[in-house]
Amino acid sequence: MPRRSVLPPSLSAQLSALITQRFRALSDSELQDILAEFSELPAKLIVDASREMTDVVSPYEPSLLEQLRKSEQKLMKRSHDYAWFFLFHRSGYVREAALDTINAPPASAFFLSALAWRLNDWVGAVRQAAVRCAERVFPRISPEVAASAAPYLLDRRFVWARWSEEANVLDSVFGRTDVMAALAIRMRKQQTGPFASCLRHALRYPEIDKHLPRLAIDAIQPSVRVAAYQCLLSGRATWPVGYEWAWIDKVYGLRKRVRMLDSRDIQRASPAADWIRRGIHDRSVLVRRVAADAMVDARGQLPDADSLIAILASDRSSAIRSRADYMLRHTHSDQS
């Protein structure tokens, strides 16, 4: 059964016509129109779209391979924009040449993901060419483009398996102050999407710290507010750095993958007590539960702990009320 296309029908039709034309009938305007349609694709489609593009850009013709390499390099000399197509070529030599040709930053999240995908290429020389390309163009990427690609790319570091040190070049993009500011706006305003996970990965960059208070207060998604509150309540940022194996039973050879974490201290403008007071009034039970958990440990530092516990005790969530009950019982036992 043929794989279902991830490309829009109009784009698929144009690409199907190119299989026989081999790009030679493309005018500059046609080339720009097709690239513009690709730019509209979301970053998360890069892997599936690249499979389709490979069949279009370089149908499997072993007897013509050397001839095609020469013709496609001529096309890239005619217009560097052809290099964006040839990132998906079947030949590693052409992919490497395309990366060495590109000198303009990607204008969309999809093409930024295409460069990142080449950092994970199965050919080592292509990965090195992708690093050289990234070093040239990444400093000039628009913060909006980088922020648009971030929810997908930030966790690819642990999903794509071929790259190693090559993945670090992405830090030069996502560690930028303007990129973190643009990403924080997206995390705050988007109603759907994996932005809580995105925030947890972004915590590796200290440039996100200044945006945590606003995210805790104003983010639409409760899960994003939870992630921000956890940092502000604990004074630490924690992010995933990969996976390791943990034994369940060595005798039977049973083990499971567990996520490894790293962390760092963050600077807070307000103490944890202020965030506890704010958090227990949040509209989401997820946030109120995080604030209540923090209060269990910090209630001795809160002069108004009794009134705060009373608020928790009247919460509509039984999980919150149980924490208030725990604090009341332990407060009474401590006094007795």
Side-chain angles (χ1 to χ4, degrees):
M1 182 176 180
R3 183 184 289 112
R4 182 178 180 181
S5 174
V6 300
L7 303 178
S10 60
L11 186 55
S12 295
Q14 293 183 71
L15 293 177
S16 297
L18 293 179
I19 291 179
T20 54
Q21 295 176 7
R22 298 294 303 150
F23 297 98
R24 289 166 180 77
L26 279 182
S27 67
D28 290 342
S29 61
E30 289 173 325
L31 175 61
Q32 294 303 321
D33 288 344
I34 295 177
L35 289 176
E37 283 207 56
F38 269 109
S39 293
E40 296 298 319
L41 296 176
K44 65 182 181 180
L45 291 184
I46 184 59
V47 176
D48 291 332
S50 68
R51 295 192 184 102
E52 295 187 44
M53 280 295 293
T54 297
D55 291 334
V56 172
V57 175
S58 54
Y60 189 61
E61 305 169 83
S63 62
L64 299 178
L65 195 57
E66 186 61 32
Q67 176 186 340
L68 294 177
R69 289 177 191 164
K70 295 178 180 178
S71 64
E72 282 140 5
Q73 290 181 9
K74 288 180 180 178
L75 285 173
M76 286 189 283
K77 289 181 179 179
R78 171 187 156 192
S79 172
H80 288 183
D81 287 335
Y82 279 101
W84 294 105
F85 280 116
F86 297 139
L87 289 177
F88 307 102
H89 201 281
R90 198 180 302 275
S91 167
Y93 293 103
V94 177
R95 296 197 303 275
E96 181 180 1
L99 288 161
D100 286 334
T101 298
I102 291 172
N103 198 38
S108 71
F110 179 80
F111 282 117
L112 172 54
S113 294
L115 290 182
W117 184 230
R118 294 281 72 90
L119 288 167
N120 185 59
D121 199 278
W122 56 93
V123 179
V126 177
R127 294 198 299 271
Q128 291 307 305
V131 171
R132 294 194 299 272
C133 180
E135 291 172 345
R136 287 195 307 274
V137 305
F138 277 8
R140 293 177 280 141
I141 289 177
S142 159
E144 288 72 25
V145 167
S148 178
Y152 175 68
L153 286 182
L154 280 175
D155 74 338
R156 295 301 95 184
R157 184 185 299 260
F158 313 116
V159 176
W160 292 346
R162 288 185 292 267
W163 61 6
S164 54
E165 297 301 319
E166 295 90 354
N168 294 335
V169 75
L170 292 175
D171 293 340
S172 65
V173 176
F174 297 123
R176 282 168 36 185
T177 301
D178 56 346
V179 171
M180 281 294 110
L183 179 58
I185 292 174
R186 287 176 176 268
M187 290 190 287
R188 183 160 48 86
K189 293 184 176 181
Q190 294 296 322
Q191 297 184 5
T192 59
F195 285 97
S197 174
C198 179
L199 175 55
R200 295 186 194 283
H201 285 283
L203 289 171
R204 70 168 53 240
Y205 306 111
E207 288 75 10
I208 194 64
D209 293 1
K210 68 180 75 173
H211 303 287
L212 292 174
R214 188 79 183 273
L215 290 171
I217 297 170
D218 291 339
I220 293 177
Q221 293 187 33
S223 56
V224 174
R225 299 201 302 277
V226 165
Y229 262 103
Q230 287 172 333
C231 296
L232 295 168
L233 290 168
S234 66
R236 293 190 65 77
T238 302
W239 64 93
V241 293
Y243 295 89
E244 65 180 353
W245 290 104
W247 286 107
I248 299 175
D249 191 320
K250 289 187 177 182
V251 174
Y252 293 100
L254 300 178
R255 60 179 184 169
K256 63 178 180 180
R257 291 181 78 203
V258 296
R259 176 164 283 188
M260 296 187 297
L261 302 173
D262 199 356
S263 64
R264 58 180 175 81
D265 292 331
I266 64 171
Q267 298 296 320
R268 297 175 294 187
S270 302
D274 290 350
W275 290 107
I276 291 174
R277 295 186 184 96
R278 183 183 288 272
I280 65 175
H281 291 95
D282 193 274
R283 58 190 179 276
S284 169
V285 65
L286 299 176
V287 177
R288 297 199 302 275
R289 188 166 59 198
V290 168
D293 286 340
M295 187 175 171
V296 170
D297 296 326
R299 64 186 184 278
Q301 306 169 21
L302 296 167
D304 54 345
D306 290 343
S307 61
L308 296 177
I309 293 174
I311 294 173
L312 296 174
S314 61
D315 195 281
R316 61 180 179 273
S317 166
S318 60
I320 304 300
R321 295 196 302 271
S322 68
R323 286 159 170 80
D325 180 64
Y326 173 87
M327 285 186 280
L328 285 171
R329 286 187 288 105
H330 281 74
T331 298
H332 293 156
S333 62
D334 291 344
Q335 291 175 350
S336 61

